[in-house]
Amino acid sequence: MLWLELEGAVNIRDVGGIPTEDGGTTARNRLLRADNLQDLSRSDLDYLVDTIGLSTVVDLRTASEIESEGPAPLTKYAHVAHVHHSLLPEQSWGDNSPDALLTRRQEDEARYAGDRTCSHYLGYVEKRPDSIVGALRAILRSEGPALVHCAAGKDRTGVVTAFALSVAGARRDAIVADYAATAERIEAIVRRLTASETYAEDVLRVSLDRHTPKPESMAEFLEQVDVRYGGVTEVLAANGFTTEETSALRTKLRS
């Protein structure tokens, strides 16, 4: 994995170098994935903006999260585009009342009882396919490298990255391995989030094991996308992502 060792983010990496089905690899310095960017240091910013040439940030958090956390350091750079595509319904985030938790559990069980994490991810596809399409379109249109992030850089970021890598023709096992790599940093991720008033309560509700990404969850999610919707490209096509855009994104992430 092409980890970026920064001071203010612990789960940030380049998804270049991932093997594709036809024997190639994804291109480096085209797509980065990350956790929350609120704590980037001066040297982190210099590296991302000046050395890497970052030009687009795709924020998958809810508007409530963004408001609660406040402006991130990268927003000070006028030439770095910031686009917002929440993968969660705005009204659902942060509501941990007993009724809300019961409702979410019942929805998960009804959607897919075999794996709760997989069910959550299918919920993104079910409820916010427009945001998945919007995120991929922002990656495609970015003049330089694009960075996709949420809070932990694990679930929402994991799904959008899996879709992007699928379009690029990455091997399914390699997509799963990229997703699971976040487990290497999960303790540091949880420490960061519990230090934030925005995320502490939600993070502390469950065990570290529950936070840790399991490869079988992503494998099952992608399998269910195939079974239910005909695959990633069919989901995208059904939600307005054209054949031309799919081809162009594939080229961008591979060339």
Side-chain angles (χ1 to χ4, degrees), residues 34-39 57-75 82-90 93 128 131 135 148-153 156-157 160 192-193 196 198-199:
D35 52 339
N36 201 347
L37 304 177
Q38 299 297 126
D39 301 324
V57 173
V58 183
D59 192 337
L60 304 177
R61 297 175 299 165
T62 63
S64 297
E65 287 172 89
I66 294 171
E67 181 180 0
S68 176
E69 288 287 271
L74 274 169
T75 60
H82 285 74
V83 296
H84 173 222
H85 294 288
S86 173
L87 261 64
L88 294 172
E90 293 290 342
W93 183 83
R128 298 308 304 265
S131 286
V148 176
H149 84 97
C150 52
R156 292 169 284 186
T157 297
V160 168
R192 281 198 72 211
L193 294 179
S196 165
T198 303
Y199 300 110

Side-chain angles (χ1 to χ4, degrees), residues 3-214:
W3 293 102
L4 277 64
E5 302 298 342
L6 302 185
E7 295 173 348
V10 297
N11 187 25
I12 179 168
R13 57 188 184 271
D14 189 326
V15 299
I18 291 177
T20 58
E21 294 285 359
D22 60 1
T25 60
T26 54
R28 299 188 180 190
N29 209 35
R30 303 293 169 82
L31 177 61
L32 310 178
R33 56 177 296 169
D35 52 339
N36 201 347
L37 304 177
Q38 299 297 126
D39 301 324
L40 296 179
S41 68
R42 177 74 258 173
S43 62
D44 294 339
L45 294 169
D46 290 344
Y47 181 72
L48 291 171
V49 176
D50 298 328
T51 302
I52 289 181
L54 184 69
S55 63
T56 301
V57 173
V58 183
D59 192 337
L60 304 177
R61 297 175 299 165
T62 63
S64 297
E65 287 172 89
I66 294 171
E67 181 180 0
S68 176
E69 288 287 271
L74 274 169
T75 60
K76 297 177 181 178
Y77 293 82
H79 65 285
V80 178
H82 285 74
V83 296
H84 173 222
H85 294 288
S86 173
L87 261 64
L88 294 172
E90 293 290 342
Q91 67 274 16
S92 71
W93 183 83
D95 185 354
N96 294 320
S97 65
D99 287 345
L101 291 173
L102 176 61
T103 297
R104 290 202 291 268
R105 183 165 64 250
Q106 291 173 337
E107 287 180 348
D108 288 343
E109 291 172 355
R111 186 183 298 116
Y112 184 71
D115 184 305
R116 188 171 179 181
T117 299
C118 172
S119 177
H120 277 310
Y121 297 172
L122 289 169
Y124 302 157
V125 178
E126 176 185 304
K127 297 179 179 180
R128 298 308 304 265
D130 56 318
S131 286
I132 296 174
V133 166
L136 295 186
R137 194 167 277 148
I139 295 167
L140 171 61
R141 294 175 177 174
S142 182
E143 292 184 7
L147 184 153
V148 176
H149 84 97
C150 52
K154 173 173 66 80
D155 300 313
R156 292 169 284 186
T157 297
V159 167
V160 168
T161 302
F163 265 66
L165 290 173
S166 295
V167 170
R171 285 189 352 221
R172 180 66 60 88
D173 65 320
I175 297 173
V176 171
D178 173 70
Y179 164 79
T182 291
E184 299 176 27
R185 304 292 175 96
I186 197 64
E187 292 185 7
I189 293 167
V190 168
R191 280 197 301 272
R192 281 198 72 211
L193 294 179
T194 53
S196 165
E197 291 184 5
T198 303
Y199 300 110
E201 180 182 356
D202 191 53
V203 169
L204 292 172
R205 276 193 309 108
V206 300
S207 67
L208 183 64
D209 181 69
R210 278 279 304 280
H211 286 299
T212 303
K214 310 295 194 301

Side-chain angles (χ1 to χ4, degrees), residues 133 229 232-241:
V133 166
Y229 307 111
V232 164
T233 56
E234 291 301 317
V235 170
L236 297 176
N239 290 279
F241 201 69

